[in-house]
Amino acid sequence: MARFVFACLWIFGCPAALAEKPAAGVKPDGTVTAATVAIPYSQFASPQARAFFPKMLAAGAQAPPLSGPIEQSRRFYDRLNSDRAARMRKRYRVTVRHQTLAGVGADVVLPAQGVSPANRHRVLINLHGGAFLWGAGSGGLVEAIPIASLGRIEVITLDYRQGPEHTFPAASEDVEAVYRKLLETHRPGEIGIYGCSAGGILTGEAVARFIADKLPVPGAIGTFCGSLVTIAGDSAYVGPLLNGQGVPDEPLDLATLPYFRGTDARDPMVQPGLSPALLKHFPPTLLITGTRDMAMSSVVHSHALLAQAGVDAELHVWEGMWHSFFSDPELPESEQAYRTIVAFFERHLAPPQEEAHP
């Protein structure tokens, strides 16, 4: 594995070593082969996305190798996300303050125009992406700024513990500690949790932990570009191809990430989608992905599992979009995603209680 694909920035590197491909055909096990492939960019995506796509891939090619020191990757992605956050703050006015909640570092992001009356008792927890390796600080701001501004709601983005210094379930423990703290001042239904990529996976893991520990679940959650099962299925192979990387020999599994070192990947606390008994207790869930996202099949399958468990689950798939596409604010598809997220939490979080009158 040489480099992260930019379209896979937040979570998994796509293996660079590709086997020689035979001529076009179908093997008895259903494997489809092709000698050469040329796939035009989707005509359904916006002109802005079409122009941005090749630039995005070229920039991502500069990512440090995973075999290098972790600080190299953290510096690279912090520069990338700091630039994104700066661009977002020109479009979406917010105030940010850093604080510690239940021993966990956090950035509290508030809309500059003030929290709306409907949201004065509501709060969102954001869990940033970054392969459980990077994304703290600037990566969280990228995911929090547009939602806080457009939704006129408080968003708390957490600097949860990551690998390689820490291993599962450290991040889940941090989320639970903050959630318990917020339960001292909020009803469960007033709290929402969402995350992208690794943060989407962690959102599901945290809710599974709440259920196991007999805590009330939050009012609603969002799992974006990563969800309740590991990366697998058609998109784990087709996604890299559609992002100019060719077809990997095999997709990367959660168990290959340093954070999950020594963990049983079949543990429902790691993959809640493997436990129908857990899923039936999940709150309303929003799932977001794109047709060029290597995690699309994982997200789509997670939606099907939630639906089978009787959960109110809503799936949105953006044509031509790559992993974590809405991290760049200039795309029309990004604004559509922000507004979808805001509307979902507006519908599902508990409404304000009527004020008591003497």
Side-chain angles (χ1 to χ4, degrees):
M1 183 188 308
R3 294 182 181 276
F4 263 67
V5 183
F6 192 81
C8 307
L9 277 178
W10 293 97
I11 181 166
F12 294 141
C14 300
L18 304 174
E20 290 187 13
K21 300 301 185 292
V26 181
K27 295 182 178 180
D29 65 356
T31 299
V32 176
T33 62
T36 59
V37 176
I39 303 173
Y41 190 70
S42 173
Q43 64 180 343
F44 296 129
S46 68
Q48 295 93 326
R50 177 185 295 274
F52 185 77
F53 180 68
K55 299 174 185 177
M56 178 269 295
L57 292 181
Q62 305 305 312
L66 278 181
S67 57
I70 183 61
E71 288 307 320
Q72 288 184 2
S73 292
R74 287 177 178 165
R75 284 193 297 270
F76 176 86
Y77 292 112
D78 184 59
R79 287 194 301 270
L80 176 76
N81 287 321
S82 293
D83 175 70
R84 286 167 161 168
R87 284 150 48 203
M88 285 182 166
R89 293 184 81 154
K90 292 178 180 179
R91 292 169 171 259
Y92 303 106
R93 294 178 56 242
V94 296
T95 62
V96 180
R97 74 173 187 274
H98 189 78
Q99 68 180 70
T100 300
L101 286 171
V104 181
D107 284 322
V108 180
V109 185
L110 292 166
Q113 67 271 45
V115 170
S116 72
N119 289 330
R120 66 184 182 273
H121 297 302
R122 293 169 168 176
V123 63
L124 296 177
I125 299 172
N126 167 250
L127 307 177
H128 64 79
F132 293 95
L133 291 168
W134 54 74
S138 59
L141 292 178
V142 166
E143 298 182 27
I145 288 170
I147 306 307
S149 179
L150 287 172
R152 293 190 61 188
I153 189 170
E154 178 182 5
V155 180
I156 302 173
T157 181
L158 303 185
D159 293 348
Y160 56 84
R161 285 174 291 171
Q162 304 187 89
E165 298 90 344
H166 305 282
T167 56
F168 177 87
S172 298
E173 292 171 347
D174 288 348
V175 180
E176 181 175 344
V178 172
Y179 184 64
R180 286 181 180 273
K181 184 67 176 177
L182 289 177
L183 286 174
E184 295 175 6
T185 53
H186 296 76
R187 293 177 290 157
E190 296 171 335
I191 304 172
I193 305 177
Y194 72 96
C196 174
S197 193
I201 292 170
L202 178 56
T203 296
E205 291 175 341
V207 171
R209 186 178 179 90
F210 301 164
I211 295 168
D213 289 347
K214 303 189 184 311
L215 289 174
V217 297
I221 63 172
T223 64
F224 314 146
C225 306
S227 196
L228 307 180
V229 292
T230 194
I231 305 302
D234 286 350
S235 71
Y237 297 91
V238 177
L241 174 65
L242 292 175
N243 289 290
Q245 302 300 310
V247 179
D249 291 331
E250 58 183 35
L252 278 167
D253 192 281
L254 284 180
T256 66
L257 294 175
Y259 173 72
F260 293 102
R261 183 175 62 250
T263 301
D264 178 5
R266 303 293 296 178
D267 184 345
M269 294 295 107
V270 176
Q271 294 190 69
L274 301 180
S275 171
L278 269 177
L279 291 187
K280 69 180 183 180
H281 298 291
F282 265 56
T285 303
L286 173 65
L287 302 96
I288 287 175
T289 186
T291 58
R292 293 188 176 228
D293 182 0
M294 82 288 183
M296 182 182 70
S297 292
S298 172
V299 173
V300 170
H301 186 56
S302 295
H303 175 261
L305 293 171
L306 287 165
Q308 290 168 15
V311 176
D312 182 354
E314 186 175 307
L315 173 66
H316 292 257
V317 182
W318 268 268
E319 177 67 21
M321 293 299 102
W322 47 89
H323 194 68
S324 187
F325 65 91
F326 44 82
S327 294
D328 291 289
E330 295 82 9
L331 307 178
E333 290 87 351
S334 296
E335 183 167 354
Q336 292 165 13
Y338 305 150
R339 295 192 180 280
T340 297
I341 294 166
V342 165
F344 181 83
F345 284 116
E346 284 180 346
R347 289 197 306 273
H348 289 285
L349 293 186
Q353 291 179 315
E354 291 189 17
E355 302 291 341
H357 298 286

